[in-house]
Amino acid sequence: MTQHTENPAPDLSALREQLSARPALRAHPQAGPLLDIVTGDTDVSSAGFPYISDRSFQIFREQVPHLYQDGLSILDWLRTLETELQKLDRTAAAAPESAGRAIRVLRSVVLRAGITATPDLWLLRHVLSTHKALGILDRLLSGHMLDPVTVATEDGLDVNQLTHDLHFLHARGYLQRGDGDFAISANPAIARVLQRATVIPDPFRVNMVAELVGFLESAQPDPAKSDFLNSWLSDPGQDPTTGSWVASYTQVEIGYRLLPCVLALRSLDITPELKPGAALAALLPHETPALAALFERAGFTSDGKVTELGARVFERGPGPFGIIGAYHPYVNQLETLLRAGEAAPWVRRAENVAASQDANRKSFAIAHDKLDQFCRQYGYEYTVFIEHALGRGEAIRQRFERDGGAQRIYIGADLEDAAIEQARAQQEAGNLPPDMILIHSADIGHPERVIQFLEDHGLRNEPTVMMVGNGLHEVRNQTNERMTAILREYERAGFLLVFTEESALHDEALIQTAWNTYHAGFRYVHEMSGQGLRPAVERKRSDRWSWKRCAEEGGYVVMDEFSYRSRTIYPYRRPQEKNPSISVTYFCVPRKTAEALGIDTSRIA
C-alpha cells in the first residue's frame, strides 16, 4: 500500500482571500468550494503523488458537479487559477506548493471522471429503462423502502439479479440503503433522475457499436441508417445538475451514447488521431452533425476542436469502455435475467477486443518488466510462454518483441472464437510470432485444457510462464475453494503465473470514490454474468478471499517484490483505513520452482 508523508498546509487563509477577490475566479458557480479545496490541506505519497485531505475531497464530491461540460469548466477554471497564481508570484512570494498539489489532484480527478463515469452511465441507462418497464422505479418513487426479497417474491423476479441492480443504483448515489432494503435518495435533485427515466425504444436495443462502425466505414451511407443513428443521437435535453458528483439524467443519456461512439471510433482507428486541438470533422469518414453535437455536449470538443478532456477520454477511454461494452448481451436482456434468473447470454467481445487490448497494454508491459527482472535475479529460464484470455495477443506481442529472436514457444489460449480469430489476424499481419500456437475453447477455469495440450505436444515438462490480463475473474460461479483448486492445478503443472486483476470494492467505498474509478460498473457486469471479483487485501468482514490468499492456498509463492500495484483508489489521505490499489499484478511462483531457485519461501508464505 502506498505510504503517505504528511505535509500540513500553511495558513492559506490570506491566499484564499486574495484569490476570492479575482473576478475571473469568482465567475465559476462552484468557485467557493473549489477555493476551499485549493487552499486546504494537502500531502504527498512516498511515490511522489499529490493528495488532498479527506475533507477537501468530501467538499468536491458533495458540492462540485464535474462530469462532461461541468468537468470542462473546472479544467478551464484551473488554468485561470494557475494564471492568477503566477500573477501573485510577481508581487509576492512563490505560490504555495500546497495549492499546486491540489490543482494537480483536481485536474487528474476531472480528467479521470470523463473515462470512468461513461461506462457506469451506459449501464445505468439500461438498468433504469428495465426498472421503469417493470414498475420497480414506481415503487421507489412512491417513497417506500424496497426490500428486494419481498419485491422478487411478489413480482416473480430473481432476487439475486434484483439485488445486484439495487446495489449498483446505491453505489452510484441514487438510492439510500437501510437494513437490507433500499429507498430513493432524500435529495430531490437526485430523485429527479429516476423520475425522468424512460424505457429504451425497441429499435435501439441493438449493439450500437456495430451499427456505428457499419455506417461510418460504408462508402455510400444509407440514408435510412443515417436517420436511425441521428434519431438515437438526438439531444436528450438539458436538466439541472444534481449539485454533487451524482450524474443528472441528461448526463446519463450522454454517457449512454458516448460509450458506443467512442468504441466505434476506436474500432476504425480514429481515436489515436483525436489529440488536443484536432478538428473532429476532418477525421470522421462522413459528415455526422449529430455525432459532433454529442461530443460538444460532453465537453470532448469545443467549436469542433478536441478539448483536453476529450483527448484524454479518446486516449484512455476505449479500454474500460470496451470491457464494459462487451456485456451488452446481458444489459440488453436484463428484463429476461430478472424474470428467469439465468444468465442465458454470454460476453461477446468481437467489436471490443481491440479496446480490451488497450486496457491491458500498460499492465502487460509492467508484468514483462517484472518477469525479466525475476529471470535476471534468479537465473530462471523458460521455454513456453502462454497468454490466457488472449484478446489480440498483447502479452505475446510484447514478449515476442522483447525476446528479439530468442527461442521460445508462444501459445495463445481463449474460450472465444472471436479472440482467437483476431489473434490469428494479428499473426498474419506480422505482429505476433509466425509459429504461435492457438488453443481454442480454452476456459481459464478448466486448467486441464491447456495442460493436456502441452502434454499432447510434448511440452508438459518444459518451464512455462503463463500471463493473464484480467481473465481469472471470468471463472463462473466462484467460491474460495473453487478458485483455490483452479490455481492449485496451474501450480502443480509448474506454471509461473503472472496475472492482473481489478480490486473488488463494496458499496460505501464506491460512493466515497465518486468517479475516481469505474469499479461500480465493473463489479456490476461481473456479478450479473456470474463472474467474481476479489479484493486486493483481506477484509475482516468479508467471506471472499483476496486473490493473493487464493494463490497461496493453491500452493503458489506470491512474491510481492515482483508484483505491482497501480494507483490507489482514493485521491486523499485515509489515516484510519487502508487505501487499496485499483488493480494488482500478482507474481506467483510454483513452490517447487521457488525452492529450486533458492528463494527463501519461509519469509514469503
Side-chain angles (χ1 to χ4, degrees):
M1 186 181 71
T2 304
Q3 300 297 314
H4 304 87
T5 56
E6 191 167 356
N7 290 275
D11 181 5
L12 298 177
S13 56
L15 176 64
R16 192 194 191 290
E17 185 176 341
Q18 286 181 291
L19 295 175
S20 298
R22 306 281 172 153
L25 295 177
R26 285 206 314 269
H28 194 281
Q30 278 78 43
L34 287 170
L35 286 171
D36 285 343
I37 296 166
V38 170
T39 56
D41 292 343
T42 65
D43 53 46
V44 180
S45 73
S46 58
F49 295 107
Y51 280 76
I52 57 179
S53 70
D54 54 352
R55 178 183 177 276
S56 290
F57 193 69
Q58 182 180 0
I59 291 171
F60 184 74
R61 191 174 61 241
E62 296 179 358
Q63 300 181 41
V64 184
H66 57 281
L67 290 181
Y68 303 139
Q69 282 285 352
D70 293 327
L72 184 63
S73 74
I74 292 172
L75 295 176
D76 291 340
W77 186 86
L78 291 173
R79 281 191 288 272
T80 302
L81 173 62
E82 289 174 321
T83 299
E84 296 298 331
L85 287 171
Q86 289 172 357
K87 293 177 182 177
L88 293 177
D89 286 354
R90 291 193 290 269
T91 59
E97 290 184 10
S98 180
R101 288 194 289 267
I103 290 171
R104 291 197 295 277
V105 170
L106 289 174
R107 178 172 282 119
S108 295
V109 170
V110 169
L111 290 172
R112 193 174 296 131
I115 299 167
T116 57
T118 299
D120 283 6
L121 299 180
W122 179 79
L123 291 169
L124 276 166
R125 182 66 182 91
H126 287 280
V127 173
L128 292 175
S129 169
T130 302
H131 284 211
K132 179 67 175 178
L134 292 176
I136 298 170
L137 291 188
D138 292 338
R139 285 177 180 254
L140 288 165
L141 290 167
S142 70
H144 297 294
M145 298 295 289
L146 191 152
D147 173 27
V149 176
T150 301
V151 173
T153 302
E154 292 176 353
D155 293 5
L157 302 179
D158 179 71
V159 67
N160 290 327
Q161 183 59 53
L162 179 58
T163 300
H164 295 329
D165 292 357
L166 296 175
H167 276 282
F168 179 52
L169 291 172
H170 171 53
R172 294 301 78 197
Y174 298 104
L175 300 183
Q176 303 176 80
R177 185 180 175 191
D179 186 14
D181 48 16
F182 297 83
I184 197 166
S185 171
N187 184 333
I190 294 175
R192 185 169 54 240
V193 176
L194 274 62
Q195 293 166 349
R196 284 206 57 195
T198 61
V199 177
I200 295 174
D202 286 341
F204 299 150
R205 301 183 68 80
V206 295
N207 187 336
M208 297 305 299
V209 177
E211 295 289 329
L212 286 159
V213 169
F215 172 77
L216 291 171
E217 69 181 359
S218 60
Q220 295 292 330
D222 180 356
K225 184 68 68 175
S226 178
D227 290 342
F228 168 75
L229 290 173
N230 285 335
S231 177
W232 178 72
L233 288 165
S234 62
D235 190 338
Q238 184 64 43
D239 61 345
T241 69
T242 63
S244 70
W245 71 275
V246 181
S248 69
Y249 188 72
T250 296
Q251 291 169 336
V252 173
E253 290 277 8
I254 289 173
Y256 161 66
R257 291 161 172 79
L258 279 176
L259 182 139
C261 291
V262 172
L263 285 177
L265 296 186
R266 172 64 183 89
S267 182
L268 297 171
D269 208 29
I270 294 172
T271 50
E273 304 301 317
L274 297 175
K275 307 294 185 184
L280 178 67
L283 295 167
L284 294 179
H286 306 304
E287 184 179 1
T288 52
L291 183 59
L294 172 67
F295 289 139
E296 289 278 332
R297 292 196 300 274
F300 292 0
T301 59
S302 179
D303 295 329
K305 301 292 182 66
V306 177
T307 62
E308 177 188 9
L309 175 62
R312 178 63 67 91
V313 175
F314 291 132
E315 177 189 9
R316 303 279 184 88
F321 289 15
I323 290 171
I324 300 299
Y327 289 83
H328 179 263
Y330 285 89
V331 294
N332 202 40
Q333 298 183 43
L334 180 55
E335 184 172 344
T336 300
L337 291 174
L338 280 163
R339 293 193 182 281
E342 295 181 2
W346 197 263
V347 182
R348 299 298 180 195
R349 293 185 288 153
E351 297 88 358
N352 299 334
V353 168
S356 296
Q357 180 186 29
D358 291 343
N360 290 327
R361 183 173 288 116
K362 180 180 177 181
S363 62
F364 279 141
I366 294 170
H368 282 301
D369 287 343
K370 299 293 186 180
L371 177 59
D372 291 344
Q373 178 187 348
F374 176 82
C375 290
R376 289 192 300 270
Q377 185 167 330
Y378 289 102
Y380 178 73
E381 296 181 355
Y382 57 100
T383 307
V384 178
F385 182 85
I386 300 172
E387 181 181 356
H388 214 319
L390 181 64
R392 297 176 76 185
E394 178 62 19
I396 290 177
R397 185 195 68 77
Q398 291 189 22
R399 186 72 267 158
F400 181 56
E401 185 177 273
R402 289 182 181 226
D403 283 346
Q407 292 299 311
R408 194 95 66 201
I409 297 169
Y410 302 95
I411 299 175
D414 204 288
L415 180 64
E416 289 190 45
D417 289 341
I420 295 293
E421 289 165 5
Q422 292 211 30
R424 194 181 303 282
Q426 290 295 309
Q427 185 183 32
E428 292 172 355
N431 299 323
L432 295 174
D435 54 354
M436 177 184 67
I437 304 169
L438 296 172
I439 307 177
H440 295 255
S441 304
D443 188 333
I444 199 166
H446 293 277
E448 65 274 9
R449 175 79 172 102
V450 171
I451 294 170
Q452 186 60 51
F453 184 92
L454 296 182
E455 181 77 37
D456 294 343
H457 288 76
L459 301 172
R460 181 67 178 79
N461 296 319
E462 295 291 340
T464 298
V465 170
M466 186 167 84
M467 195 169 285
V468 184
N470 283 294
L472 282 171
H473 68 256
E474 294 180 2
V475 174
R476 259 58 175 186
N477 304 314
Q478 277 189 42
T479 62
N480 295 331
E481 291 74 21
R482 181 164 185 240
M483 198 70 247
T484 296
I486 290 167
L487 290 168
R488 183 176 293 114
E489 287 191 58
Y490 286 123
E491 193 274 341
R492 287 176 175 171
F495 289 14
L496 190 153
L497 176 63
V498 185
F499 70 96
T500 301
E501 282 294 342
E502 305 276 346
S503 304
L505 298 175
H506 54 79
D507 287 356
E508 297 309 316
L510 292 166
I511 292 170
Q512 292 300 312
T513 65
W515 300 115
N516 205 44
T517 78
Y518 81 122
H519 279 59
F522 192 74
R523 183 189 71 176
Y524 175 69
V525 296
H526 289 89
E527 286 175 336
M528 75 188 306
S529 58
Q531 301 173 78
L533 302 181
R534 292 180 174 276
V537 295
E538 289 298 316
R539 298 177 184 152
K540 293 179 180 178
R541 295 183 296 276
S542 174
D543 58 359
R544 176 157 289 205
W545 294 350
S546 67
W547 286 109
K548 181 178 181 180
R549 180 176 176 184
C550 287
E552 290 178 339
E553 295 282 347
Y556 274 110
V557 175
V558 181
M559 301 188 69
D560 288 339
E561 178 184 357
F562 299 98
S563 298
Y564 171 78
R565 288 166 173 77
S566 69
R567 71 170 177 88
T568 48
I569 287 167
Y570 302 98
Y572 56 90
R573 185 170 172 269
R574 291 167 63 82
Q576 305 302 324
E577 300 180 54
K578 291 182 178 179
N579 192 350
S581 299
I582 295 285
S583 66
V584 180
T585 297
Y586 301 88
F587 198 94
C588 310
V589 182
R591 185 161 293 274
K592 287 185 178 179
T593 301
E595 292 171 349
L597 294 173
I599 296 171
D600 182 5
T601 59
S602 62
R603 66 178 177 85
I604 299 172

